[in-house]
Amino acid sequence: MVGVSSAAAKWGSSGLAYLTGPPDGPPDFSRANVLARAEEVAAGVGHRLGIAVDAAALLAGRAALLGLTRRGRVSAGGATRLLAAIDGWCAITLSRPDDVAAVPALLQADDVPADPWPALRRWAAKRSVSEITERAVLLDIPAARLGEAAARPPRTGRLGRRAAARGWAGLLVADLSSMWAGPLCGRLLARAGATVVKVESPRRPDGTRGGDHAFFDWINAEKLCYSVDFDDQAAEVRELLSVADVVIESSRPAALARRGLGPDHLAPRAGRIWLRITGHDDPRPAFGDDAAVAGGLVGAGGPAGPVFCADAIADPLTGLEATLAVAESLARGGGELIHLSMAAVAAGYAALPAAGPAPEFPAVPAPPPRVPPSAGPAPALGADNEAVRRLVSERACLPC
């Protein structure tokens, strides 16, 4: 590997090159500098939390656990596609049953085949990107224009009084988030010694519980699992949030506000940190792959057009950036509301200088990503309800 940059070498050995590029072509090394920057952030997180953080394992861990590979303009996970429009490229995600059910309305067709993607490609090819994305958003289908988002650091605002400097041991984290970015932040805080409560609705548990549990276990094994209905048991949720030192949420802000569960609805607590992760700055739904496309974080792909970069990469990158933001807030005494957009995070990484042309394959090996170490199975849904209720009761008796 003489003459090959260290960034390209790491990108190749990490498995991220294996996940980027056309399915019938060589791996794509054009985004190798993304890993280099992620390693810098991971080092900052590790320093603040007092733990070892392997950026490559976090970025490629899901793909390793689920056996994913590169698929070009189909995301590694299969739910998102890059579609060519008259005037550019866009991404559409069909990961939820409601998304699939909305396809006939999107296409304005009475009958759509079981595999809707060929029809979607033909439909998109005759329309502008703005027409495609506006109609998809109207139907609540995750969609984004390639490169529409601007890079922006986390937005931080005052939430309440600061607290004296504290360590992670003894801190209570309420993790209301789902999927990858927020739960990854919670996982890292748990490893640092915080007590992290994974909060799920019995009606709509975290979607990663379904199917292969390997990824859910990897992200959530070190948390307490608490199941509570956000409508019928809103008062119970509010009690937990009121005694939490850190709250992680990734829902649309209005969803919590209408239940009286937003940061402005809680009793003050000195030093509380509220982390809000959204897909975009607006209330659109988003997943890691379409958010990455919004930020312009795609593989070069060559003359045929862009390809997906790794696996839902906006998710783990946002999880890392969010963890660093929370750790820095704690060092300041907390009392802050922190907002990160996955698309804005992806745009920041997309703005990094390109790594240059891909090295001659196989000058740099591009093996599959390594399966990360297991932390054991995560608790079942609601397995720790009584333990969490006792914890809330005990903390409610302590001074803020």
Side-chain angles (χ1 to χ4, degrees):
M1 295 193 292
V2 176
V4 175
S5 73
S6 61
K10 290 181 178 179
W11 182 257
S13 62
S14 68
L16 293 167
Y18 176 88
L19 296 169
T20 308
D24 54 355
D28 187 325
F29 286 77
S30 62
R31 292 297 183 181
N33 284 337
V34 167
L35 177 57
R37 171 57 185 160
E39 288 180 327
E40 294 175 1
V41 176
V45 170
H47 174 72
R48 293 280 187 179
L49 270 59
I51 59 175
V53 182
D54 185 340
L58 296 181
L59 268 58
R62 187 181 83 152
L65 289 165
L66 302 183
L68 307 180
T69 187
R70 63 182 179 276
R71 302 173 67 180
R73 287 191 287 279
V74 178
S75 64
T80 309
R81 301 288 195 280
L82 274 162
L83 302 176
I86 292 173
D87 57 349
W89 291 87
C90 63
I92 289 181
T93 297
L94 302 178
S95 64
R96 306 168 298 182
D98 288 350
D99 300 328
V100 178
V103 170
L106 178 65
L107 302 183
Q108 295 179 300
D110 294 328
D111 185 31
V112 175
D115 177 6
W117 289 111
L120 277 165
R121 281 194 295 270
R122 293 191 296 271
W123 174 80
K126 300 175 182 178
R127 287 162 175 80
S128 67
V129 171
S130 60
E131 181 182 353
I132 294 166
T133 55
E134 287 170 8
R135 184 159 182 80
V137 170
L138 184 66
L139 294 167
D140 209 35
I141 297 174
R145 172 195 292 269
L146 175 61
E148 69 173 73
R152 195 190 60 245
R155 288 183 292 177
T156 302
R158 297 295 306 147
L159 184 61
R161 292 186 294 117
R162 297 195 187 279
R166 297 172 290 175
W168 295 102
L171 290 188
L172 177 62
V173 178
D175 180 5
L176 279 64
S177 65
S178 61
M179 305 306 287
W180 196 347
L184 173 57
C185 177
R187 173 184 184 260
L188 294 172
L189 299 185
R191 286 187 54 210
T195 298
V196 181
V197 178
K198 170 78 173 174
V199 186
E200 299 173 86
S201 165
R203 300 180 187 180
R204 294 187 65 181
D206 190 322
T208 60
R209 274 193 182 274
D212 190 331
H213 281 210
F215 175 66
F216 182 87
D217 291 343
W218 179 53
I219 292 293
N220 297 290
E222 296 164 284
K223 305 173 187 177
L224 299 174
C225 284
Y226 178 58
S227 176
V228 62
D229 191 293
F230 282 67
D231 293 312
D232 297 340
Q233 298 170 283
E236 192 169 326
V237 179
R238 191 177 300 109
E239 290 175 358
L240 169 61
L241 301 184
S242 295
V243 299
D245 300 294
V246 180
V247 177
I248 303 170
E249 55 108 342
S250 58
S251 57
R252 303 181 199 188
L256 292 178
R258 69 170 175 264
R259 296 174 172 88
L261 299 174
D264 297 332
H265 300 98
L266 305 180
R269 184 173 184 81
R272 178 184 292 130
I273 300 168
W274 190 287
L275 172 65
R276 175 172 291 155
I277 296 175
T278 58
H280 302 270
D281 288 331
D282 56 49
R284 276 184 287 167
F287 291 88
D289 284 304
D290 56 87
V293 171
L297 187 51
V298 293
V307 294
F308 283 103
C309 177
D311 171 34
I313 196 165
D315 264 308
L317 290 177
T318 302
L320 271 174
E321 295 281 352
T323 307
L324 182 59
V326 169
E328 291 175 342
S329 179
L330 186 74
R332 293 189 294 266
E336 294 178 336
L337 171 64
I338 304 168
H339 178 201
L340 285 90
S341 151
M342 292 199 299
V345 169
Y349 281 84
L352 295 171
E360 196 68 31
F361 187 78
V364 176
R370 297 181 299 275
V371 175
S374 171
L381 182 68
D384 299 306
N385 275 18
E386 290 308 313
V388 172
R389 289 180 180 123
R390 286 195 301 271
L391 181 61
V392 170
S393 178
E394 292 166 1
R395 290 178 68 92
C397 298
L398 299 175
C400 293

